[in-house]
Amino acid sequence: TAHRYDFSTLTLKGTAFDTNSAYSAFLSSAVNGASIVTGVTEATNVYDGAAEGGAYGNTAGLVKFGKSKANGKLVLTLASNAKKVTINCFDFYTKTEAYPTNSNYLSVNGDSKLLPYAETAGKGDLVYNLASPSSTLTIETSNSVADKFGRCFVFSITIE
């Protein structure tokens, strides 16, 4: 069974999550009301909506991971093992002369993927087929450039 979390109904613009508010956001974003997420044990540099900056600056209805000086990390506990996670997301920046290539990554349980990136802000799916089914999901950003940190926008997460 797929459990989808659509963050489009979130209303804040850049408020840092703690574990309780992050868990509440998952419960309120569960499509059809069914939630496999039973808790959030870590929420570090993860935000309800986005403040200024980036492709989706000053925007509600999404979850922002990371900030200029730190990666973002969210750890979810699940009621049962997940085998596949699909994250609808976009890089922090759009492709410009100043940012001609993308260096932001998003990982689930250590499987790191380059974020969707384009000249206009969009959305793309990253699909993670977990090497080992797990009842804990660690979702975090990183950056392949030294002294830079991973940032991205997440619109929905589907856990199977």
Side-chain angles (χ1 to χ4, degrees):
T1 303
H3 296 269
R4 186 166 183 266
Y5 300 88
D6 179 349
F7 302 119
S8 64
T9 59
L10 299 180
T11 59
L12 300 178
K13 293 183 179 177
T15 301
F17 279 124
D18 61 18
T19 55
N20 291 325
S21 60
Y23 181 53
S24 293
F26 270 87
L27 291 179
S28 70
S29 300
V31 176
N32 300 326
S35 178
I36 192 175
V37 176
T38 57
V40 175
T41 58
E42 184 177 343
T44 306
N45 303 315
V46 179
Y47 304 88
D48 184 339
E52 292 184 12
Y56 286 93
N58 200 33
T59 303
L62 54 82
V63 174
K64 179 188 168 227
F65 277 73
K67 60 183 183 178
S68 62
K69 303 288 183 201
N71 294 320
K73 183 176 182 181
L74 193 63
V75 180
L76 309 176
T77 54
L78 310 177
S80 58
N81 282 344
K83 296 177 183 157
K84 180 179 175 182
V85 178
T86 303
I87 302 180
N88 186 253
C89 53
F90 193 75
D91 189 81
F92 184 74
Y93 291 111
T94 53
K95 185 177 181 178
T96 61
E97 283 187 32
Y99 303 98
T101 59
N102 179 12
S103 58
N104 285 303
Y105 286 78
L106 187 64
S107 69
V108 175
N109 291 10
D111 181 8
S112 186
K113 297 182 185 290
L114 192 62
L115 281 149
Y117 192 59
E119 290 179 4
T120 55
K123 299 175 183 179
D125 285 341
L126 293 181
V127 178
Y128 301 86
N129 290 299
L130 304 183
S132 305
S134 180
S135 62
T136 302
L137 296 179
T138 300
I139 304 169
E140 57 190 325
T141 57
S142 63
N143 195 300
S144 59
V145 176
D147 301 323
K148 292 201 181 287
F149 297 92
R151 293 184 280 176
C152 72
F153 302 105
V154 171
F155 307 99
S156 69
I157 297 176
T158 303
I159 302 168
E160 298 176 63

